[in-house]
Amino acid sequence: MKQYIKVDGWNIIEEGFVPHYNKISESIFSLGNGRMGQRANFEETYSGDTLQGNYVAGVYYPDKTRVGWWKNGYPEYFAKVLNAANWIGIGIRIEEEELDLHKAQVTHFSRILNMQEGYLQRSFTATLESGKQVKVTATRFCSIVDDETGAIRYSITPLNFEGNLQITAYIDGDIKNQDANYDEKFWEETGASIQHSSAYITLKTKKTGFQVCTGMQFNVYQDTRPLAINVRPVQKEKYVGVVTTVKVKSQQETVIYKYAANLSSENHPVEALANNCEIAVGKAAAKGFKAMLKEQAAAWAIKWKESDIIIEGDPAAQQGIRFNIFQLNQTYTGEDARLNIGPKGFTGEKYGGSTYWDTEAYCIPFYLATAEPQVARNLLIYRYKQLGKAIENAAKLGFNNGAALYPMVTMNGEECHNEWEITFEEIHRNAAIAFAIFNYIRYTGDTAYLAEYGTEVLIGIARFWAQRVNWSEARGQYVMLGVTGPNEYENNVNNNWYTSTMATWCLQYAMDALQHVKETAADRYDAIIKTTVFDAGKEQEKWQHVIDNMYYPVDEQLGVFLQQEGYLDKEQILVKDLDPAQRPLNQKWSWDRILRSCYIKQADVLQGLYFLEDRYDIDTLRRNFDFYEPRTVHESSLSPCVHAILAAKLGDEKRAHEFYLRTSRLDLDDYNNDTEDGLHITSMAGTWMSVVEGFAGMRVRDGQLQFTPFLPGKWQSFAFNIRFRGRILKVKVSKQDVNIENDSTKDITVLIYGETVHVPAGATVTAKQGNLVN
């Protein structure tokens, strides 16, 4: 664990340049706007250890995966988000010396990510080999107002010399992904132009044929006035730039403004791409850096009003939750139903930038409560539109009759994960998609979604589960063989409790959905039956038989659900008894050793208890939590948040707070020694859940909001806003009371510690400490 980031409520601050931490910081200080993203690479040349990253939403490449051990049903490719053209480049030469922080002596270095206003600022003093010293301050952002553009203000001041400063503003498309096979490059140039202080280049992906035009315009100021500069164009393969030289004096500030745009053929006709890019860059330059930054701050103020969580008394916790919310808001905006949320967002290449089950299991609750309902609905529609591909995926594995297996990893609905034990076995992702439909309707009350989209998806998923189980003559029950549960430190196991439990839940929910649509939208029901060729009597009879006769592994003596058959055959050494030097296991142990151990990567049985907690009494939850948590190494970013929520449910304030800090500061403190690969974006939604569902105890039952809050650790209070069925509620929990303000025009009735509380429109209701159970 590293703790070099200074604690601050609204800012992420790094003081002092430590090259060994540079790639970690490049992830932490990343920027994005839902349409494009940028790691915190330096504008000027840096020849040290770095992971360059510029990403454009929706653009990917199907990298080949077929190898000697390829088997039927195995994906033909692994889709990966592409490292796109580097638009931030500003090369600086002082006389004949290049400014390169890897070679210079660096002092007074700081990086500040201003989360409140949405920009990154970096400053430093560099002493070159000649002894010349310069002070640099660089500010940049990806605009969330004009989401195809970004802007940079780069200030450089000589401290002890005068002379010539050569500036090269450029776009470099000759880049590759870090994980490219054999250093393959995925882009081809289709066009380029340079027009005085502007430059444009259009690149096309191999195979997929996406085209992206990246353009830039720059100007130079001294003494607050624009300079009339002479420029020299520089053009080579997949590279365009403009060079100018200006005279500088000691203590005189020279400011470079660079405006850039990334336009994709996903959003613009190919024939208009270059022209539209010129227009976008021109508009940004005409608006100017100061005006764009002001708009950025105003737009972020709205986002923070909707989604901020305020914590008093624990600055580290405050910084952690805001960092998570900030990254979520700049990763996904919900404006484009074709897009989804990759585990790394726009901050790195790992996991290919693809869609996982993380979206449905972890991200949906955040967007349900902090954005318009259409945002979460778009995430569900994304899967509905890929139902055909899910049916094709299942067919490749031998399933039929419209059975649907949603991919573990996808860009376009096709499975593209390159590990067989995940592709074939981690089938519980189907359940997360079904549960997201249930969760969305439970929260919004939008039951019409079942008739419009949801039921067709649920039928496909239910058909898969009905075929995936098999009847065991020995047990006289259905069993689920050869699966991998959420705990990926167990592969190819039989009767994983979570997978089997969620499978039968899906079967029941599909039948409930069909009945609801039949009763409320008969015409649509008939259309669904016809479209899916659904045999209501025969198929539902089979589904019910599976529900009634599924085998679930249980240890009666311990009173716990077994993670899978044979789990107790493993040597039961608790995590606390492990040598800390052996952690993290996935970086210290062989895979064989991990698979033979009892250690759990992330919530598995406990994931099911989190989803379906209403089925189980508090003693059942406690027994399973107390058994499994001591065996969990939390080496998945998705793990601590579920444990925090369950610990809070059980009244274990200490452990709930510990797990919250771990999930909220997972990347800031580099808990798992992997932040350099990119941030854990989808798990950041789990941090929000830890507060709202954990400490505030928020649930929706029978269409009504419920709260059972408590104050963790040294917190003096915490507050958050949520949207719920046309209302906006402001909830504040303090040592003295719980306040709920109804900032809308509709009344609402909520439950606080089981007591019914009416909150009129525009009013605030306070439950005094004496009326609370905690």
Side-chain angles (χ1 to χ4, degrees):
M1 186 172 71
K2 305 171 186 68
Q3 293 180 310
Y4 68 95
I5 299 297
K6 289 180 65 69
V7 173
D8 183 273
W10 277 111
N11 300 288
I12 307 301
I13 304 170
E14 175 187 16
E15 293 184 344
F17 183 51
V18 181
H20 179 66
Y21 290 164
N22 186 50
K23 289 204 293 187
I24 300 171
S25 293
E26 287 178 340
S27 296
I28 290 173
F29 291 86
S30 293
L31 295 172
N33 60 16
R35 188 71 67 185
M36 67 186 209
Q38 167 68 54
R39 282 173 62 84
N41 309 122
F42 299 160
E43 288 85 358
E44 70 279 347
T45 298
Y46 183 67
S47 58
D49 197 16
T50 181
L51 172 59
Q52 181 183 316
N54 300 270
Y55 309 103
V56 179
V59 176
Y60 67 93
Y61 180 83
D63 206 4
K64 54 185 177 292
T65 63
R66 191 160 186 160
V67 291
W69 40 265
W70 189 91
K71 299 293 187 295
N72 285 336
Y74 198 82
E76 295 280 354
Y77 65 90
F78 178 65
K80 55 181 62 172
V81 65
L82 293 188
N83 197 348
N86 174 16
W87 62 270
I88 65 170
I90 300 175
I92 300 294
R93 295 190 72 86
I94 299 162
E95 298 298 344
E96 296 303 315
E97 290 181 280
E98 184 173 44
L99 178 59
D100 180 348
L101 297 198
H102 184 59
K103 298 175 180 177
Q105 179 185 345
V106 181
T107 56
H108 303 98
F109 180 94
S110 76
R111 258 187 278 219
I112 301 174
L113 181 63
N114 185 315
M115 299 182 291
Q116 188 169 23
E117 298 184 4
Y119 66 85
L120 170 63
Q121 185 169 89
R122 178 174 59 103
S123 62
F124 61 86
T125 297
T127 303
L128 306 184
E129 290 184 4
S130 65
K132 294 183 175 69
Q133 287 186 331
V134 292
K135 177 184 177 182
V136 171
T137 300
T139 305
R140 73 169 181 248
F141 58 92
C142 294
S143 172
I144 61 170
V145 177
D146 302 312
D147 63 7
E148 293 174 315
T149 64
I152 301 169
R153 182 187 188 275
Y154 192 92
S155 160
I156 182 166
T157 304
L159 298 182
N160 62 354
F161 70 93
E162 60 181 39
N164 291 324
L165 181 70
Q166 180 180 289
I167 303 163
T168 304
Y170 64 89
I171 299 167
D172 184 6
D174 190 24
I175 39 80
K176 64 180 179 64
N177 278 43
Q178 186 183 49
D179 63 351
N181 289 329
Y182 309 107
D183 289 332
E184 180 182 6
K185 295 184 178 180
F186 303 133
W187 295 96
E188 297 174 333
E189 181 181 328
T190 64
S193 66
I194 300 175
Q195 306 161 16
H196 190 61
S197 60
S198 301
Y200 303 87
I201 191 165
T202 302
L203 302 174
K204 180 180 180 179
T205 60
K206 300 175 182 178
K207 295 185 181 180
T208 44
F210 294 106
Q211 294 197 36
V212 175
C213 183
T214 302
M216 70 93 186
Q217 178 177 327
F218 86 107
N219 47 49
V220 182
Y221 281 65
Q222 278 183 349
D223 302 322
T224 72
R225 294 190 299 272
L227 293 181
I229 55 176
N230 295 315
V231 299
R232 174 171 56 87
V234 179
Q235 186 169 350
K236 48 190 176 183
E237 184 182 4
K238 291 185 278 190
Y239 179 102
V240 289
V242 180
V243 182
T244 189
T245 300
V246 299
K247 292 191 178 297
V248 294
K249 299 176 182 178
S250 181
Q251 305 299 323
Q252 181 184 44
E253 182 185 44
T254 299
V255 179
I256 303 150
Y257 292 102
K258 184 175 183 182
Y259 307 93
N262 281 305
L263 271 63
S264 164
S265 58
E266 286 286 271
N267 306 304
H268 299 267
V270 170
E271 62 274 12
L273 203 55
N275 183 63
N276 289 355
C277 187
E278 288 186 30
I279 293 171
V281 171
K283 284 183 176 178
K287 191 179 291 185
F289 186 88
K290 186 179 293 186
M292 288 184 71
L293 188 59
K294 185 177 180 180
E295 287 182 343
Q296 179 84 342
W300 269 105
I302 294 171
K303 286 188 176 292
W304 285 117
K305 184 178 180 181
E306 294 173 337
S307 59
D308 191 20
I309 291 180
I310 301 170
I311 298 170
E312 294 183 326
D314 191 341
Q318 176 68 86
Q319 183 182 45
I321 189 63
R322 282 202 174 123
F323 179 67
N324 285 250
I325 293 169
F326 176 76
Q327 294 295 347
L328 284 165
N329 277 324
Q330 66 173 5
T331 299
Y332 182 77
T333 63
E335 295 179 5
D336 190 337
R338 297 170 300 172
L339 301 178
N340 209 281
I341 308 161
K344 296 293 182 185
F346 295 117
T347 71
E349 300 170 11
K350 194 174 180 182
Y351 304 119
S354 304
T355 301
Y356 283 61
W357 70 292
D358 306 21
T359 294
E360 285 75 24
Y362 296 87
C363 298
I364 286 284
F366 171 78
Y367 293 104
L368 278 174
T370 63
E372 295 284 352
Q374 189 61 41
V375 172
R377 207 173 202 262
N378 277 346
L379 289 172
L380 301 185
I381 291 172
Y382 176 89
R383 295 292 194 177
Y384 170 79
K385 290 183 175 179
Q386 294 180 354
L387 176 59
K389 290 289 187 182
I391 293 171
E392 288 180 18
N393 293 334
K396 291 176 182 177
L397 303 186
F399 297 89
N400 55 39
N401 190 38
L405 176 59
Y406 277 90
M408 184 64 180
V409 176
T410 194
M411 281 291 193
N412 64 0
E414 292 179 305
E415 177 64 75
C416 58
H417 197 283
N418 59 353
E419 296 175 25
W420 69 269
E421 66 272 21
I422 305 301
T423 302
F424 297 154
E425 295 188 346
E426 201 161 337
I427 52 179
H428 65 80
R429 71 253 194 177
N430 253 13
I433 291 164
F435 190 82
I437 295 171
F438 166 78
N439 208 12
Y440 166 78
I441 294 171
R442 172 174 64 175
Y443 195 90
T444 64
D446 180 15
T447 56
Y449 185 82
L450 286 174
E452 291 180 72
Y453 304 107
T455 299
E456 289 180 60
V457 171
L458 294 172
I459 288 171
I461 289 173
R463 283 171 162 170
F464 172 81
W465 290 124
Q467 295 178 42
R468 184 58 172 77
V469 298
N470 62 273
W471 181 259
S472 166
E473 291 291 347
R475 292 188 184 279
Q477 290 177 289
Y478 288 99
V479 293
M480 187 86 72
L481 306 178
V483 301
T484 297
N487 173 27
E488 293 172 338
Y489 287 176
E490 297 272 14
N491 299 152
N492 198 29
V493 301
N494 294 334
N495 301 310
N496 172 259
W497 181 87
Y498 172 79
T499 304
S500 298
T501 298
M502 293 305 297
T504 53
W505 179 89
C506 289
L507 291 169
Q508 184 61 61
Y509 186 48
M511 290 195 291
D512 293 344
L514 280 160
Q515 186 62 31
H516 174 82
V517 176
K518 184 177 182 179
E519 293 174 357
T520 60
D523 290 346
R524 180 61 185 140
Y525 176 81
D526 292 340
I528 291 170
I529 297 300
K530 184 178 180 179
T531 299
T532 59
V533 195
F534 186 70
D535 187 333
K538 184 178 179 180
E539 293 195 60
Q540 291 189 91
E541 182 181 358
K542 170 66 183 294
W543 296 356
Q544 190 63 55
H545 197 255
V546 174
I547 293 169
D548 294 338
N549 295 280
M550 178 67 86
Y551 168 68
Y552 307 100
V554 176
D555 186 273
E556 299 292 350
Q557 185 175 355
L558 292 172
V560 299
F561 305 120
L562 288 182
Q563 183 173 270
Q564 72 268 343
E565 205 170 345
Y567 178 77
L568 290 178
D569 292 336
K570 294 170 176 286
E571 190 175 19
Q572 300 292 316
I573 301 174
L574 302 184
V575 175
K576 69 179 178 61
D577 297 321
L578 269 176
D579 180 353
Q582 297 293 303
R583 305 278 304 279
L585 300 184
N586 58 23
Q587 296 175 25
K588 301 296 178 66
W589 283 15
S590 70
W591 193 241
D592 169 72
R593 187 179 180 187
I594 289 174
L595 292 177
R596 288 186 289 106
S597 77
C598 71
Y599 299 119
I600 300 168
K601 180 183 180 186
Q602 68 189 79
D604 195 302
V605 168
L606 299 185
Q607 184 76 39
L609 296 179
Y610 162 65
F611 277 158
L612 306 178
E613 68 171 12
D614 290 347
R615 285 186 170 189
Y616 308 104
D617 61 37
I618 199 71
D619 290 335
T620 300
L621 294 175
R622 181 173 285 106
R623 283 196 304 274
N624 281 274
F625 185 86
D626 289 344
F627 180 79
Y628 283 109
E629 195 287 318
R631 292 162 172 80
T632 304
V633 290
H634 301 291
E635 288 174 9
S636 165
S637 64
L638 301 175
S639 189
C641 62
V642 173
H643 288 79
I645 295 166
L646 290 176
K649 168 81 173 180
L650 295 170
D652 189 339
E653 297 181 18
K654 183 176 183 294
R655 282 199 287 185
H657 186 240
E658 288 174 357
F659 289 128
Y660 164 78
L661 283 179
R662 177 157 186 161
T663 186
S664 69
R665 299 192 64 84
L666 180 74
D667 289 312
L668 289 178
D669 295 336
D670 195 21
Y671 265 93
N672 289 340
N673 196 34
D674 60 0
T675 301
E676 68 178 34
D677 296 327
L679 303 177
H680 298 82
I681 299 298
T682 49
S683 76
M684 289 178 170
T687 304
W688 179 91
M689 289 158 53
S690 298
V691 175
V692 177
E693 296 184 13
F695 304 144
M698 189 186 82
R699 301 290 190 274
V700 179
R701 293 191 175 96
D702 300 321
Q704 190 173 42
L705 273 179
Q706 303 183 12
F707 298 93
T708 54
F710 71 88
L711 210 57
K714 58 186 178 183
W715 295 13
Q716 296 171 7
S717 71
F718 68 96
F720 58 91
N721 298 340
I722 57 167
R723 294 173 178 266
F724 183 74
R725 301 193 182 187
R727 287 88 165 176
I728 298 176
L729 302 180
K730 299 180 178 179
V731 181
K732 183 173 182 179
V733 179
S734 68
K735 294 179 180 179
Q736 292 77 33
D737 49 43
V738 178
N739 286 297
I740 298 183
E741 178 184 348
N742 183 357
D743 190 16
S744 57
T745 58
K746 299 178 182 178
D747 293 2
I748 190 171
T749 298
V750 301
L751 266 67
I752 304 179
Y753 296 109
E755 297 293 327
T756 300
V757 177
H758 182 69
V759 189
T764 301
V765 170
T766 300
K768 295 294 183 183
Q769 183 69 26
N771 297 328
L772 305 183
V773 297
N774 260 30

